[in-house]
Amino acid sequence: METNRQKKMGALLQEDLVDILQGEVRKNGISNLIISVSKVSVTTDLSIAKVYLSIFPADKGAALLEAIKSNAPLIKHDLAQRVKNQLRKVPNLMFYIDDSLDYIEQIDNALKAEENPIIDRDLLARRKKK
């Protein structure tokens, strides 16, 4: 369970990371690309921050994630300049793709399909009795 300090630090980092990443997209003139930071979770010792990114369109996600990971030291430096008055030490950043929206879409499509396991219970795998 996250402490209040971890939650506050995650929210602070999330807000500034959004500005940094979207600023880079605008500065480089990249169109038709949206990067959002869906969540930042900080470890209990505040040394590592896991940053979950949602990238649209999703087909550019893997290549963009690699580019962001390779530029992580520069992103950390920009972040340190923004939060230097609030944090003593900026945590190391680890970037991940947030695929929760894709998962929700798969569930939604499965429920809309003709083979709906909620309506037709025979589609569900039977539990073995002991």
Side-chain angles (χ1 to χ4, degrees):
M1 180 158 176
E2 283 186 328
T3 63
N4 282 338
R5 185 173 181 195
Q6 287 173 291
K7 289 178 186 176
K8 287 179 184 178
M9 191 169 182
L12 174 73
L13 295 175
Q14 181 178 3
E15 186 178 317
D16 287 326
L17 283 169
V18 167
D19 290 340
I20 291 170
L21 293 174
Q22 289 180 349
E24 286 298 317
V25 168
R26 280 191 304 268
K27 187 169 71 175
N28 292 326
I30 301 171
S31 61
N32 300 328
L33 179 68
I34 299 172
I35 300 174
S36 65
V37 179
S38 55
K39 183 177 180 182
V40 176
S41 61
V42 183
T43 57
T44 54
D45 63 351
L46 307 175
S47 64
I48 298 172
K50 294 181 180 179
V51 181
Y52 295 93
L53 303 173
S54 293
I55 301 172
F56 301 101
D59 58 343
K60 295 181 181 179
L64 197 57
L65 180 66
E66 290 303 316
I68 290 172
K69 283 182 179 179
S70 66
N71 290 320
L74 295 173
I75 295 170
K76 182 179 176 181
H77 177 73
D78 287 348
L79 186 62
Q81 296 301 315
R82 289 173 179 251
V83 298
K84 64 183 174 187
N85 294 330
Q86 292 133 340
L87 299 177
R88 213 179 270 180
K89 183 179 180 225
V90 177
N92 291 328
L93 303 174
M94 299 177 72
F95 294 97
Y96 300 97
I97 293 287
D98 182 18
D99 58 354
S100 60
L101 293 176
D102 295 334
Y103 181 67
I104 291 170
E105 186 178 350
Q106 287 176 352
I107 291 173
D108 196 35
N109 289 339
L111 291 175
K112 289 180 183 175
E114 293 177 15
E115 297 180 358
N116 189 342
I118 293 175
I119 297 170
D120 187 6
R121 304 287 286 178
D122 294 330
L123 293 172
L124 295 173
R126 296 287 176 197
R127 191 182 312 172
K128 294 181 182 178
K129 294 183 180 180
K130 292 181 181 180

